[in-house]
Amino acid sequence: MTVILLIVYFAVMIAIGLYCRKNATDVNGFVLGGRSVGPWLTAFAFGTSYFSAVIFVGYAGQFGWLYGTSATWAGLGNAFIGSLLAWNVLGRRTRIMTQKLDAKTMPDYFGKRFDSLNLKVIASIIVFIFLIPYTASLYNGLSSLFGLVFDMPYWVVILIMAVLTCIYVVFGGYMATAINDFIQGIIMLFGICAVIGAVLSQNGGLTEAMKSLSAIEADGWGAGAYSSFFGPDPLALLFVVILTSLGTWGLPQMVGKFYAIKSENDIQKGTIISTVFAIIVAGGCYFLGGFGRLYADKIKYNEATGKPLFDTIVPAMLSTLPMIVIAVVVVLVLSASMSTLSSLVLTSSSTLTLDVIKPLSKKEMDEKKQVFIMRIFIVFFVVISAVIAVIKDSFPGLTFIAQMMGVSWGALAGAFLAPFLYGLYWKGITKVSVGVCYIWGCAIAIIQLIVTLGGVDVSAWGPVLGYIFKSSINSGVIAMVGGLVIVPIISLFTKKMDKEFVDETFACYEAKHEVSQKTALND
């Protein structure tokens, strides 16, 4: 059954890639789908790029184990902050200004919004460095899940996923990715509902499952903490909510979806669709993970520390389910991973081509050559991420890659969130403040990486710094929130941009139709 589902799934993916070739003949079509993508495709592309195997297997298992069913707050935060609020705050203005500037990527936006080639190139380098390990992390969890069904080496699973993603993204570009994301999103919606129903049924229903969970004691809290409203550690949970929700506002592969929206009406529809999708998928994943402690006798533990291996929690929950449910889950996780992988490699390749190679090239590059180079880099990024994933799986003691993945999200959001957001709304932001925010976000991430890899005891740094660098989650939140504070302060004391240039840039919001474009796009 699983094999049949996968063969059908793979065939559909490839067919869509070949079908969308006609929409990927120039840069605008290949990268943005001609800026004519409807609400359903855009909303599902946003959601499936947001939620991958990292969420379903890694985060759901980890945070569900730590916080119980209160981890569901992370999913709800993803829905209402990471989706609903993001669409309302960023969607319309991003679409208007990026079209005005003819910006196709986030670094391209920085370069044109702040009239600085240096800011564009530096942003591209940051994207290149931190998206590769993030991309490699998408393969996490696939090994243990596929091991439930297939007797095959992990590298074969990675190879299949990499090749198929390459085919449909290389041929069809953004439009193929968006259509496939829609199909993958539907699989995710039905899949997570089926899994939750099966797990609860296996534990006697929701009431009995909650009763069993409430009997488990938490350190310092006694029984009932893992089934309580805010869980055993509300502050730590709040940091998780902020990182995984607000962080999307600064991730290039996420905000890039707003570049391609077709019309004002599509933004309104997309906002609702994206939010509902996130409630079901993200809320469902974290809610499911909250019952992980009921399977404490089935998961694997680190022999040295005695702590659970978080990536094994969700697979352990699924291992006792009927084979048809496991088959659905395998396709679900593969769909989630491929959708996010396609978004990341398209973002990486377009950024490197359009924002580094093209500006630095001495020869003029026509549209066909740019698209060709992007296709080459898509293959390159997929291969690199696959190799990293294989190496990491082959050498479990190689912690550098795993820790690098953990800080990627915080580094990207810390460096880009504040400049991107303020750049859409505020004329007073300066070039220097953007550069300082780049340094701030990356510096926090690098310090966190050094602390984690070196096993540094941060408790000696004092209560504040000690708590910040206790985990990549805490430091990631500080990087993002700190950027929102640093950028306006630095902007007040540094050289302002040319007023005429800034006024001309912001004039796009006041272009008149029946009302100003900041109220409604011109359909």
Side-chain angles (χ1 to χ4, degrees), residues 236-252:
L237 178 59
L238 176 62
F239 273 76
V240 172
V241 173
I242 295 174
L243 180 71
T244 60
S245 302
L246 190 61
T248 61
W249 295 33
L251 299 181

Side-chain angles (χ1 to χ4, degrees), residues 6-335:
L6 288 175
I7 291 175
V8 172
Y9 172 73
F10 294 153
V12 171
M13 299 298 102
I14 295 174
I16 290 173
L18 297 175
Y19 172 77
C20 291
R21 283 183 298 175
K22 63 179 182 295
N23 297 307
T25 55
D26 59 11
V27 173
N28 195 49
F30 191 81
V31 178
L32 299 176
R35 295 187 190 268
S36 60
V37 183
W40 284 91
L41 294 185
T42 302
F44 271 67
F46 186 89
T48 54
S49 296
Y50 198 164
F51 311 117
S52 66
V54 176
I55 297 290
F56 184 78
V57 177
Y59 282 3
Q62 177 181 350
F63 300 136
W65 181 272
L66 295 175
Y67 311 119
T69 53
S70 67
T72 308
W73 283 110
L76 296 178
N78 294 172
F80 294 108
I81 300 174
S83 296
L84 178 63
L85 199 57
W87 275 74
N88 278 292
V89 174
L90 302 178
R92 180 183 293 110
R93 283 186 173 254
T94 298
R95 173 64 169 80
I96 295 170
M97 185 170 283
T98 56
Q99 185 176 34
K100 161 71 176 179
L101 298 174
D102 192 29
K104 298 178 177 64
T105 66
M106 182 178 276
D108 193 22
Y109 161 82
F110 288 134
K112 292 176 178 177
R113 167 64 179 85
F114 301 107
D115 192 26
S116 172
L117 177 61
N118 289 336
L119 288 179
K120 178 165 80 168
V121 172
I122 294 171
S124 301
I125 294 172
I126 294 172
V127 171
F128 175 78
I129 291 174
F130 288 102
L131 271 192
I132 284 185
Y134 184 29
T135 303
S137 70
L138 299 177
Y139 300 97
N140 282 359
L142 286 177
S143 175
S144 51
L145 279 178
F146 270 74
L148 297 176
V149 182
F150 303 109
D151 182 21
M152 66 171 65
Y154 181 39
W155 69 265
V156 175
V157 178
I158 294 176
L159 178 64
I160 293 173
M161 178 176 165
V163 170
L164 289 169
T165 303
C166 262
I167 291 174
Y168 78 75
V169 180
V170 165
F171 280 107
Y174 182 84
M175 187 58 74
T177 299
I179 295 175
N180 275 323
D181 285 349
F182 179 72
I183 296 173
Q184 291 158 345
I186 292 174
I187 295 172
M188 291 167 68
L189 285 173
F190 283 99
I192 190 64
C193 292
V195 174
I196 292 174
V199 169
L200 291 179
S201 176
Q202 188 182 59
N203 287 277
L206 177 59
T207 302
E208 287 300 317
M210 291 294 289
K211 186 182 297 183
S212 300
L213 191 64
S214 65
I216 299 175
E217 295 189 1
D219 293 338
W221 287 83
Y226 294 118
S227 59
S228 64
F229 201 65
F230 291 116
D233 195 344
L235 181 59
L237 178 59
L238 176 62
F239 273 76
V240 172
V241 173
I242 295 174
L243 180 71
T244 60
S245 302
L246 190 61
T248 61
W249 295 33
L251 299 181
Q253 76 275 14
M254 299 298 296
V255 297
K257 301 298 185 290
F258 299 133
Y259 293 28
I261 299 172
K262 183 178 180 180
S263 69
E264 167 68 23
N265 187 47
D266 290 342
I267 291 179
Q268 297 173 358
K269 292 179 181 177
T271 302
I272 298 172
I273 297 167
S274 178
T275 304
V276 173
F277 181 89
I279 291 173
I280 297 173
V281 174
C285 284
Y286 287 112
F287 178 72
L288 174 69
F291 295 97
R293 285 184 178 266
L294 299 182
Y295 297 81
D297 59 329
K298 295 182 175 62
I299 67 175
K300 297 179 181 179
Y301 294 83
N302 186 309
E303 295 181 359
T305 64
K307 294 182 178 180
L309 298 174
F310 295 125
D311 285 354
T312 69
I313 294 175
V314 171
M317 297 173 69
L318 302 173
S319 62
T320 57
L321 297 180
M323 187 54 66
I324 181 62
V325 178
I326 295 178
V328 171
V329 172
V330 168
V331 178
L332 181 161
V333 175
L334 189 64
S335 299

